[in-house]
Amino acid sequence: VEEADEITYTSYRPQKLRFGMDHPDPVVENSTLSAVVPPEVEYNLAMPADILTKGKLSNLQLEA
């Protein structure tokens, strides 16, 4: 079995972003990437409040 055939994936959730609704579709990342701690989120969002309160963007989309 080649090493490329042994790649595993885990469910993805933003580790640093603490607001926003979960993404409606399943999202995965390579297990190796999930072991790396991402940098702190240091930007200020400037958007209408209803984007967050009505779940128009998921936490995954807001993190990007």
Side-chain angles (χ1 to χ4, degrees):
V1 175
E2 291 185 31
E3 187 174 325
D5 293 337
E6 297 178 19
I7 296 173
T8 58
Y9 296 91
T10 58
S11 295
Y12 179 78
R13 288 186 51 86
Q15 294 181 31
K16 302 286 183 165
L17 196 66
R18 301 290 179 225
F19 55 87
M21 304 195 57
D22 288 342
H23 196 70
D25 290 323
V27 179
V28 297
E29 69 180 334
N30 180 301
S31 294
T32 304
L33 289 176
S34 68
V36 177
V37 178
E40 294 294 327
V41 178
E42 297 182 1
Y43 52 85
N44 292 320
L45 294 175
M47 63 182 66
D50 71 326
I51 289 177
L52 296 176
T53 58
K54 294 183 178 180
K56 293 181 178 181
L57 292 176
S58 70
N59 52 11
L60 177 67
Q61 292 166 313
L62 292 167
E63 179 187 51

